[in-house]
């Protein structure tokens, strides 16, 4: 059989097996993100996020992990290249968990949790062009860029909110996702995306000192690179070849390794 036909057949089989058949489109784009703690100049993490044909591939460098947001099939897949395992969580489960978390937080006596359940910000636009979202508990400062299209703005909103929900379920005890989701929604209404973002979170104990500060830098590019397509191809293979485990086992294995 012709080698080209063999390759094409294998590619079609792979797409059918993973359920992720993509098309190239004008709304494909990529974001390189660096996250910093406080005033540190070296990033604590670096991530490449690739939006391709309706799916989103989030590649984090340390620890090595790939998250696939597969909207058409209503699922999110975690891939661990080191352990060669994968875990899948339905998008409906993420939404249901977030709803339960909001209900729980609203019933707590802790003022921070009550705020997190129904965040309210004072929003201002500074002369520098930064949007500032202020509250007694957490403050966001965001330098923005305009999305290249309404479709891109919508894709980013859906990804950012899904990522926030996922973080809530994979990192128990973290800040509930709703304050960040409120900021995401506000940016979407202006057709904007973050280029730089700083979040200052006040200590849960009053007068306990300065707020903790995290900041991120986002380099947005409206065209994909060949290297991006190669990464996606590798992720497709991982979806087929990695050993499936439950989300609980996936997280337990990761937590166990972090202790050693």
């Amino acid at each position: 059989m012709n080698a080209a036909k063999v390759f094409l057949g294998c590619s079609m089989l792979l797409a059918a097996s993973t359920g992720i058949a993509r098309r190239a489109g004008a709304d494909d784009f990529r974001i390189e993100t660096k996250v910093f703690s406080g005033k540190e100049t070296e990033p604590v993490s670096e991530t490449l996020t690739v939006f391709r044909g309706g799916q989103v591939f989030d590649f984090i460098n340390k620890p090595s992990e790939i998250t696939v947001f597969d909207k058409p099939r209503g699922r999110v897949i975690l891939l661990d290249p080191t352990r060669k395992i994968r875990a899948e969580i339905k998008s409906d489960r993420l939404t249901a968990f977030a709803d339960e978390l909001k209900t729980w937080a609203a019933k707590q006596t802790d003022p921070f949790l009550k705020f997190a359940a129904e965040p309210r910000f004072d929003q201002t636009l500074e002369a520098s062009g930064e949007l500032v979202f202020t509250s007694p508990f957490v403050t966001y400062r965001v330098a923005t860029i305009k999305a290249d299209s309404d479709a891109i703005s919508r894709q980013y909103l859906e990804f950012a909110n899904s990522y926030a929900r996922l973080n809530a379920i994979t990192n128990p005890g973290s800040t509930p996702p709703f304050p960040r989701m409120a900021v995401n929604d506000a940016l979407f209404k202006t057709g904007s995306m973050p280029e730089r973002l700083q979040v200052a979170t006040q200590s849960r104990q009053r007068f306990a000192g300065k707020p903790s500060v995290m900041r991120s830098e986002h380099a947005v590019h409206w065209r994909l690179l060949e290297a991006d397509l190669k990464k996606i191809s590798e992720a497709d293979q991982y979806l087929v070849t990695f050993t499936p485990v439950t989300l609980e086992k996936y997280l337990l294995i990761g937590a166990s390794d972090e202790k050693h």
Side-chain angles (χ1 to χ4, degrees):
M1 182 178 291
N2 183 277
K5 291 184 178 180
V6 172
F7 176 79
L8 178 60
C10 291
S11 298
M12 294 176 65
L13 177 61
L14 179 62
S17 300
T18 62
I20 299 184
R22 284 177 295 280
R23 58 167 182 79
D27 296 327
D28 295 345
F29 63 105
R30 69 198 302 273
I31 303 176
E32 297 175 14
T33 299
K34 295 181 179 180
V35 178
F36 301 85
S37 177
K39 296 182 179 180
E40 295 293 327
T41 58
E42 290 296 320
V44 295
S45 72
E46 297 183 60
T47 304
L48 170 66
T49 308
V50 181
F51 296 73
R52 168 75 166 170
Q55 280 78 37
V56 184
F57 293 77
D58 194 63
F59 302 89
I60 188 170
N61 65 340
K62 293 180 182 180
S64 178
E65 186 175 53
I66 305 167
T67 306
V68 183
F69 294 84
D70 183 9
K71 179 184 174 183
R73 292 182 63 121
R75 62 180 183 171
V76 177
I77 307 161
L78 302 175
L79 300 169
D80 187 327
T82 302
R83 302 173 190 86
K84 295 180 171 52
I85 59 174
R86 61 181 172 89
E88 179 177 322
I89 179 170
K90 295 296 184 182
S91 301
D92 288 348
R93 181 181 173 189
L94 287 181
T95 302
F97 179 84
D99 290 343
E100 293 170 4
L101 180 60
K102 174 174 284 193
T103 299
W104 173 83
K107 294 178 180 178
Q108 303 308 302
T109 58
D110 186 330
F112 178 85
L113 290 176
K114 282 187 169 295
F115 161 81
E118 294 290 343
R120 296 286 186 272
F121 291 101
D122 292 328
Q123 183 177 333
T124 57
L125 177 62
E126 295 196 339
S128 63
E130 285 187 327
L131 285 171
V132 182
F133 301 83
T134 306
S135 79
F137 304 97
V138 58
T139 297
Y140 291 86
R141 303 180 66 89
V142 191
T144 65
I145 60 171
K146 282 291 183 181
D148 212 33
S149 69
D150 291 341
I152 283 177
S153 181
R154 168 64 65 179
Q155 281 188 76
Y156 181 79
L157 173 70
E158 292 173 350
F159 159 74
N161 283 350
S162 293
Y163 192 96
R165 294 188 188 100
L166 178 65
N167 185 65
I169 200 170
T170 57
N171 292 282
S174 61
T175 299
F178 313 111
R180 178 58 192 268
M181 291 171 66
V183 172
N184 295 339
D185 292 341
L187 295 181
F188 172 72
K189 291 176 181 177
T190 66
S192 300
M193 297 165 56
E195 186 174 40
R196 296 186 306 277
L197 184 146
Q198 176 181 290
V199 54
T201 305
Q202 188 62 51
S203 171
R204 300 282 286 276
Q205 296 179 348
R206 183 178 287 185
F207 311 122
K210 296 181 179 180
S212 63
V213 177
M214 298 294 292
R215 54 191 174 87
S216 57
E217 298 176 356
H218 308 267
V220 182
H221 305 274
W222 305 120
R223 293 183 182 276
L224 302 187
L225 304 177
E226 285 297 325
D228 301 331
L229 303 181
K230 182 178 179 180
K231 283 179 172 289
I232 290 174
S233 179
E234 290 174 347
D236 279 346
Q237 295 178 33
Y238 297 161
L239 288 168
V240 175
T241 60
F242 281 8
T243 302
V245 298
T246 64
L247 177 65
E248 290 72 20
K249 184 173 182 180
Y250 183 98
L251 298 176
L252 183 62
I253 293 173
S256 176
D257 280 8
E258 287 176 2
K259 294 178 181 179
H260 293 85

mmCIF file with all atom_site columns, all heavy atoms in Angstrom, residues 73-87:
data_model
loop_
_atom_site.group_PDB
_atom_site.id
_atom_site.type_symbol
_atom_site.label_atom_id
_atom_site.label_alt_id
_atom_site.label_comp_id
_atom_site.label_asym_id
_atom_site.label_entity_id
_atom_site.label_seq_id
_atom_site.pdbx_PDB_ins_code
_atom_site.Cartn_x
_atom_site.Cartn_y
_atom_site.Cartn_z
_atom_site.occupancy
_atom_site.B_iso_or_equiv
_atom_site.pdbx_formal_charge
_atom_site.auth_seq_id
_atom_site.auth_comp_id
_atom_site.auth_asym_id
_atom_site.auth_atom_id
_atom_site.pdbx_PDB_model_num
ATOM 1   N N   . ARG A 1 73 ? -17.095 17.502 22.811 1.00 0.00 ? 73 ARG A N   1
ATOM 2   C CA  . ARG A 1 73 ? -17.484 16.258 23.490 1.00 0.00 ? 73 ARG A CA  1
ATOM 3   C C   . ARG A 1 73 ? -17.754 16.464 24.974 1.00 0.00 ? 73 ARG A C   1
ATOM 4   O O   . ARG A 1 73 ? -17.963 15.505 25.721 1.00 0.00 ? 73 ARG A O   1
ATOM 5   C CB  . ARG A 1 73 ? -16.387 15.196 23.303 1.00 0.00 ? 73 ARG A CB  1
ATOM 6   C CG  . ARG A 1 73 ? -16.287 14.736 21.845 1.00 0.00 ? 73 ARG A CG  1
ATOM 7   C CD  . ARG A 1 73 ? -15.251 13.659 21.687 1.00 0.00 ? 73 ARG A CD  1
ATOM 8   N NE  . ARG A 1 73 ? -15.620 12.472 22.455 1.00 0.00 ? 73 ARG A NE  1
ATOM 9   C CZ  . ARG A 1 73 ? -15.799 11.262 21.909 1.00 0.00 ? 73 ARG A CZ  1
ATOM 10  N NH1 . ARG A 1 73 ? -15.690 11.104 20.608 1.00 0.00 ? 73 ARG A NH1 1
ATOM 11  N NH2 . ARG A 1 73 ? -16.091 10.233 22.665 1.00 0.00 ? 73 ARG A NH2 1
ATOM 12  N N   . GLY A 1 74 ? -17.752 17.726 25.395 1.00 0.00 ? 74 GLY A N   1
ATOM 13  C CA  . GLY A 1 74 ? -18.110 18.040 26.777 1.00 0.00 ? 74 GLY A CA  1
ATOM 14  C C   . GLY A 1 74 ? -17.219 17.404 27.802 1.00 0.00 ? 74 GLY A C   1
ATOM 15  O O   . GLY A 1 74 ? -17.691 16.831 28.794 1.00 0.00 ? 74 GLY A O   1
ATOM 16  N N   . ARG A 1 75 ? -15.892 17.507 27.618 1.00 0.00 ? 75 ARG A N   1
ATOM 17  C CA  . ARG A 1 75 ? -14.972 16.867 28.546 1.00 0.00 ? 75 ARG A CA  1
ATOM 18  C C   . ARG A 1 75 ? -13.668 17.647 28.637 1.00 0.00 ? 75 ARG A C   1
ATOM 19  O O   . ARG A 1 75 ? -13.328 18.440 27.763 1.00 0.00 ? 75 ARG A O   1
ATOM 20  C CB  . ARG A 1 75 ? -14.669 15.437 28.099 1.00 0.00 ? 75 ARG A CB  1
ATOM 21  C CG  . ARG A 1 75 ? -13.985 15.374 26.737 1.00 0.00 ? 75 ARG A CG  1
ATOM 22  C CD  . ARG A 1 75 ? -13.684 13.954 26.306 1.00 0.00 ? 75 ARG A CD  1
ATOM 23  N NE  . ARG A 1 75 ? -12.968 13.916 25.035 1.00 0.00 ? 75 ARG A NE  1
ATOM 24  C CZ  . ARG A 1 75 ? -12.432 12.835 24.501 1.00 0.00 ? 75 ARG A CZ  1
ATOM 25  N NH1 . ARG A 1 75 ? -12.510 11.669 25.138 1.00 0.00 ? 75 ARG A NH1 1
ATOM 26  N NH2 . ARG A 1 75 ? -11.789 12.884 23.351 1.00 0.00 ? 75 ARG A NH2 1
ATOM 27  N N   . VAL A 1 76 ? -12.967 17.408 29.729 1.00 0.00 ? 76 VAL A N   1
ATOM 28  C CA  . VAL A 1 76 ? -11.617 17.925 29.929 1.00 0.00 ? 76 VAL A CA  1
ATOM 29  C C   . VAL A 1 76 ? -10.730 16.730 30.244 1.00 0.00 ? 76 VAL A C   1
ATOM 30  O O   . VAL A 1 76 ? -11.102 15.871 31.049 1.00 0.00 ? 76 VAL A O   1
ATOM 31  C CB  . VAL A 1 76 ? -11.565 18.949 31.081 1.00 0.00 ? 76 VAL A CB  1
ATOM 32  C CG1 . VAL A 1 76 ? -10.133 19.419 31.313 1.00 0.00 ? 76 VAL A CG1 1
ATOM 33  C CG2 . VAL A 1 76 ? -12.470 20.135 30.788 1.00 0.00 ? 76 VAL A CG2 1
ATOM 34  N N   . ILE A 1 77 ? -9.559  16.663 29.605 1.00 0.00 ? 77 ILE A N   1
ATOM 35  C CA  . ILE A 1 77 ? -8.666  15.520 29.770 1.00 0.00 ? 77 ILE A CA  1
ATOM 36  C C   . ILE A 1 77 ? -7.321  16.003 30.309 1.00 0.00 ? 77 ILE A C   1
ATOM 37  O O   . ILE A 1 77 ? -6.732  16.942 29.760 1.00 0.00 ? 77 ILE A O   1
ATOM 38  C CB  . ILE A 1 77 ? -8.455  14.775 28.438 1.00 0.00 ? 77 ILE A CB  1
ATOM 39  C CG1 . ILE A 1 77 ? -9.801  14.403 27.820 1.00 0.00 ? 77 ILE A CG1 1
ATOM 40  C CG2 . ILE A 1 77 ? -7.607  13.528 28.648 1.00 0.00 ? 77 ILE A CG2 1
ATOM 41  C CD1 . ILE A 1 77 ? -9.724  14.091 26.355 1.00 0.00 ? 77 ILE A CD1 1
ATOM 42  N N   . LEU A 1 78 ? -6.852  15.366 31.362 1.00 0.00 ? 78 LEU A N   1
ATOM 43  C CA  . LEU A 1 78 ? -5.542  15.654 31.942 1.00 0.00 ? 78 LEU A CA  1
ATOM 44  C C   . LEU A 1 78 ? -4.562  14.586 31.475 1.00 0.00 ? 78 LEU A C   1
ATOM 45  O O   . LEU A 1 78 ? -4.836  13.384 31.618 1.00 0.00 ? 78 LEU A O   1
ATOM 46  C CB  . LEU A 1 78 ? -5.615  15.665 33.468 1.00 0.00 ? 78 LEU A CB  1
ATOM 47  C CG  . LEU A 1 78 ? -6.598  16.656 34.100 1.00 0.00 ? 78 LEU A CG  1
ATOM 48  C CD1 . LEU A 1 78 ? -6.656  16.461 35.605 1.00 0.00 ? 78 LEU A CD1 1
ATOM 49  C CD2 . LEU A 1 78 ? -6.211  18.087 33.760 1.00 0.00 ? 78 LEU A CD2 1
ATOM 50  N N   . LEU A 1 79 ? -3.424  15.020 30.948 1.00 0.00 ? 79 LEU A N   1
ATOM 51  C CA  . LEU A 1 79 ? -2.401  14.099 30.444 1.00 0.00 ? 79 LEU A CA  1
ATOM 52  C C   . LEU A 1 79 ? -1.105  14.326 31.211 1.00 0.00 ? 79 LEU A C   1
ATOM 53  O O   . LEU A 1 79 ? -0.623  15.461 31.306 1.00 0.00 ? 79 LEU A O   1
ATOM 54  C CB  . LEU A 1 79 ? -2.156  14.339 28.950 1.00 0.00 ? 79 LEU A CB  1
ATOM 55  C CG  . LEU A 1 79 ? -3.352  14.156 28.014 1.00 0.00 ? 79 LEU A CG  1
ATOM 56  C CD1 . LEU A 1 79 ? -3.022  14.702 26.620 1.00 0.00 ? 79 LEU A CD1 1
ATOM 57  C CD2 . LEU A 1 79 ? -3.732  12.690 27.925 1.00 0.00 ? 79 LEU A CD2 1
ATOM 58  N N   . ASP A 1 80 ? -0.542  13.259 31.738 1.00 0.00 ? 80 ASP A N   1
ATOM 59  C CA  . ASP A 1 80 ? 0.727   13.328 32.462 1.00 0.00 ? 80 ASP A CA  1
ATOM 60  C C   . ASP A 1 80 ? 1.795   12.596 31.650 1.00 0.00 ? 80 ASP A C   1
ATOM 61  O O   . ASP A 1 80 ? 1.866   11.367 31.672 1.00 0.00 ? 80 ASP A O   1
ATOM 62  C CB  . ASP A 1 80 ? 0.577   12.678 33.840 1.00 0.00 ? 80 ASP A CB  1
ATOM 63  C CG  . ASP A 1 80 ? 1.818   12.864 34.703 1.00 0.00 ? 80 ASP A CG  1
ATOM 64  O OD1 . ASP A 1 80 ? 2.933   12.902 34.140 1.00 0.00 ? 80 ASP A OD1 1
ATOM 65  O OD2 . ASP A 1 80 ? 1.677   12.977 35.934 1.00 0.00 ? 80 ASP A OD2 1
ATOM 66  N N   . PRO A 1 81 ? 2.636   13.332 30.889 1.00 0.00 ? 81 PRO A N   1
ATOM 67  C CA  . PRO A 1 81 ? 3.650   12.683 30.050 1.00 0.00 ? 81 PRO A CA  1
ATOM 68  C C   . PRO A 1 81 ? 4.706   11.918 30.829 1.00 0.00 ? 81 PRO A C   1
ATOM 69  O O   . PRO A 1 81 ? 5.316   10.997 30.292 1.00 0.00 ? 81 PRO A O   1
ATOM 70  C CB  . PRO A 1 81 ? 4.285   13.865 29.290 1.00 0.00 ? 81 PRO A CB  1
ATOM 71  C CG  . PRO A 1 81 ? 3.256   14.953 29.332 1.00 0.00 ? 81 PRO A CG  1
ATOM 72  C CD  . PRO A 1 81 ? 2.596   14.789 30.678 1.00 0.00 ? 81 PRO A CD  1
ATOM 73  N N   . THR A 1 82 ? 4.935   12.278 32.075 1.00 0.00 ? 82 THR A N   1
ATOM 74  C CA  . THR A 1 82 ? 5.941   11.593 32.878 1.00 0.00 ? 82 THR A CA  1
ATOM 75  C C   . THR A 1 82 ? 5.469   10.199 33.274 1.00 0.00 ? 82 THR A C   1
ATOM 76  O O   . THR A 1 82 ? 6.193   9.205  33.114 1.00 0.00 ? 82 THR A O   1
ATOM 77  C CB  . THR A 1 82 ? 6.281   12.409 34.134 1.00 0.00 ? 82 THR A CB  1
ATOM 78  O OG1 . THR A 1 82 ? 6.756   13.700 33.741 1.00 0.00 ? 82 THR A OG1 1
ATOM 79  C CG2 . THR A 1 82 ? 7.350   11.706 34.962 1.00 0.00 ? 82 THR A CG2 1
ATOM 80  N N   . ARG A 1 83 ? 4.249   10.109 33.767 1.00 0.00 ? 83 ARG A N   1
ATOM 81  C CA  . ARG A 1 83 ? 3.712   8.826  34.232 1.00 0.00 ? 83 ARG A CA  1
ATOM 82  C C   . ARG A 1 83 ? 2.916   8.104  33.151 1.00 0.00 ? 83 ARG A C   1
ATOM 83  O O   . ARG A 1 83 ? 2.473   6.980  33.353 1.00 0.00 ? 83 ARG A O   1
ATOM 84  C CB  . ARG A 1 83 ? 2.834   9.049  35.457 1.00 0.00 ? 83 ARG A CB  1
ATOM 85  C CG  . ARG A 1 83 ? 3.576   9.725  36.595 1.00 0.00 ? 83 ARG A CG  1
ATOM 86  C CD  . ARG A 1 83 ? 2.634   10.090 37.725 1.00 0.00 ? 83 ARG A CD  1
ATOM 87  N NE  . ARG A 1 83 ? 3.317   10.936 38.680 1.00 0.00 ? 83 ARG A NE  1
ATOM 88  C CZ  . ARG A 1 83 ? 3.419   12.247 38.579 1.00 0.00 ? 83 ARG A CZ  1
ATOM 89  N NH1 . ARG A 1 83 ? 2.892   12.868 37.549 1.00 0.00 ? 83 ARG A NH1 1
ATOM 90  N NH2 . ARG A 1 83 ? 4.060   12.955 39.482 1.00 0.00 ? 83 ARG A NH2 1
ATOM 91  N N   . LYS A 1 84 ? 2.691   8.802  32.028 1.00 0.00 ? 84 LYS A N   1
ATOM 92  C CA  . LYS A 1 84 ? 1.941   8.219  30.901 1.00 0.00 ? 84 LYS A CA  1
ATOM 93  C C   . LYS A 1 84 ? 0.554   7.751  31.327 1.00 0.00 ? 84 LYS A C   1
ATOM 94  O O   . LYS A 1 84 ? 0.110   6.637  31.021 1.00 0.00 ? 84 LYS A O   1
ATOM 95  C CB  . LYS A 1 84 ? 2.734   7.082  30.255 1.00 0.00 ? 84 LYS A CB  1
ATOM 96  C CG  . LYS A 1 84 ? 4.029   7.541  29.586 1.00 0.00 ? 84 LYS A CG  1
ATOM 97  C CD  . LYS A 1 84 ? 4.780   6.391  28.953 1.00 0.00 ? 84 LYS A CD  1
ATOM 98  C CE  . LYS A 1 84 ? 5.947   6.889  28.109 1.00 0.00 ? 84 LYS A CE  1
ATOM 99  N NZ  . LYS A 1 84 ? 6.865   7.808  28.801 1.00 0.00 ? 84 LYS A NZ  1
ATOM 100 N N   . ILE A 1 85 ? -0.125  8.628  32.061 1.00 0.00 ? 85 ILE A N   1
ATOM 101 C CA  . ILE A 1 85 ? -1.500  8.362  32.466 1.00 0.00 ? 85 ILE A CA  1
ATOM 102 C C   . ILE A 1 85 ? -2.380  9.528  32.038 1.00 0.00 ? 85 ILE A C   1
ATOM 103 O O   . ILE A 1 85 ? -1.896  10.641 31.793 1.00 0.00 ? 85 ILE A O   1
ATOM 104 C CB  . ILE A 1 85 ? -1.631  8.135  33.991 1.00 0.00 ? 85 ILE A CB  1
ATOM 105 C CG1 . ILE A 1 85 ? -1.132  9.367  34.758 1.00 0.00 ? 85 ILE A CG1 1
ATOM 106 C CG2 . ILE A 1 85 ? -0.889  6.883  34.416 1.00 0.00 ? 85 ILE A CG2 1
ATOM 107 C CD1 . ILE A 1 85 ? -1.363  9.286  36.265 1.00 0.00 ? 85 ILE A CD1 1
ATOM 108 N N   . ARG A 1 86 ? -3.668  9.260  31.963 1.00 0.00 ? 86 ARG A N   1
ATOM 109 C CA  . ARG A 1 86 ? -4.621  10.307 31.607 1.00 0.00 ? 86 ARG A CA  1
ATOM 110 C C   . ARG A 1 86 ? -5.883  10.146 32.440 1.00 0.00 ? 86 ARG A C   1
ATOM 111 O O   . ARG A 1 86 ? -6.238  9.041  32.865 1.00 0.00 ? 86 ARG A O   1
ATOM 112 C CB  . ARG A 1 86 ? -4.972  10.257 30.129 1.00 0.00 ? 86 ARG A CB  1
ATOM 113 C CG  . ARG A 1 86 ? -5.632  8.964  29.649 1.00 0.00 ? 86 ARG A CG  1
ATOM 114 C CD  . ARG A 1 86 ? -5.910  9.013  28.162 1.00 0.00 ? 86 ARG A CD  1
ATOM 115 N NE  . ARG A 1 86 ? -6.372  7.736  27.638 1.00 0.00 ? 86 ARG A NE  1
ATOM 116 C CZ  . ARG A 1 86 ? -7.646  7.365  27.588 1.00 0.00 ? 86 ARG A CZ  1
ATOM 117 N NH1 . ARG A 1 86 ? -8.579  8.179  28.063 1.00 0.00 ? 86 ARG A NH1 1
ATOM 118 N NH2 . ARG A 1 86 ? -7.988  6.193  27.086 1.00 0.00 ? 86 ARG A NH2 1
ATOM 119 N N   . ALA A 1 87 ? -6.542  11.263 32.696 1.00 0.00 ? 87 ALA A N   1
ATOM 120 C CA  . ALA A 1 87 ? -7.807  11.250 33.422 1.00 0.00 ? 87 ALA A CA  1
ATOM 121 C C   . ALA A 1 87 ? -8.781  12.171 32.705 1.00 0.00 ? 87 ALA A C   1
ATOM 122 O O   . ALA A 1 87 ? -8.383  13.205 32.142 1.00 0.00 ? 87 ALA A O   1
ATOM 123 C CB  . ALA A 1 87 ? -7.615  11.697 34.865 1.00 0.00 ? 87 ALA A CB  1
#
